Amino acid sequence: MRYACAILCGLLLATGPVRSQTAEVTRPDIGFDCWIGGEGTQIYTHYIRCIADRDLAHPESIDPQSDAVLNLLHRELHQRSGSDAEKAFKANIELVREAGSVWSIRIYSYPSDSSWQEGMPERLVRAVLCPRQAHCAVMIRPR
């Protein structure tokens, strides 16, 4: 009996410090799901287009149609590619414009490999869209 208590007490003491050393994972206050899009005008202009991350708390849309489009864009970004999200965006551009739920940041060329490695597109989105002092998550899906 004493032997079993010694083992159990030893296990309890051993697991105590392990629990206290695990870091808490903080959930972002706000987040954006983004992709690289473009306008096929005379001078091709690229944009970083973003929607509020649907997995985090986001303001509910009054219009169920625009809410459905935002859910579609979210699915495209998380399951497919940025070019698929751009196609869905352009196919529903009137609804998206009316809702004002997609932000576009103009960039003049597609980000280079070194720009992606340095996290420049994410830093640009944070600088333009994220409130100060907020923990802001940014995911950008390349083409």
Side-chain angles (χ1 to χ4, degrees):
M1 186 71 153
R2 287 182 190 170
Y3 182 70
C5 180
I7 291 174
L8 182 61
C9 291
L11 287 174
L12 290 174
L13 289 174
T15 58
V18 174
R19 285 187 194 160
S20 65
Q21 292 176 356
T22 58
E24 276 189 39
V25 177
T26 57
R27 187 172 170 101
D29 301 325
I30 188 171
F32 294 96
D33 288 338
C34 307
W35 70 95
I36 306 293
E39 296 294 326
T41 57
Q42 191 174 23
I43 301 173
Y44 197 82
T45 304
H46 289 86
Y47 294 90
I48 299 176
R49 301 194 200 277
C50 299
I51 62 171
D53 187 346
R54 309 291 283 175
D55 294 330
L56 299 175
H58 59 278
E60 293 298 322
S61 175
I62 297 170
D63 182 17
Q65 285 183 315
S66 63
D67 210 37
V69 171
L70 292 174
N71 286 333
L72 170 68
L73 288 171
H74 185 260
R75 270 193 317 276
E76 293 294 326
L77 288 170
H78 285 273
Q79 297 172 1
R80 298 185 79 182
S81 71
S83 61
D84 292 323
E86 182 70 2
K87 288 175 192 170
F89 169 76
K90 287 183 177 177
N92 296 288
I93 195 140
E94 292 304 319
L95 276 174
V96 172
R97 279 189 182 153
E98 286 177 23
S101 51
V102 175
W103 296 275
S104 294
I105 303 168
R106 181 184 292 202
I107 55 176
Y108 291 97
S109 63
Y110 190 84
S112 65
D113 289 340
S114 62
S115 179
W116 284 110
Q117 290 169 358
E118 294 172 13
M120 296 304 284
E122 291 90 351
R123 287 174 53 192
L124 177 61
V125 170
R126 280 190 185 93
V128 173
L129 297 179
C130 295
R132 283 188 146 180
Q133 308 303 324
H135 183 185
C136 185
V138 174
M139 184 274 302
I140 300 179
R141 178 76 65 191
R143 282 191 257 191

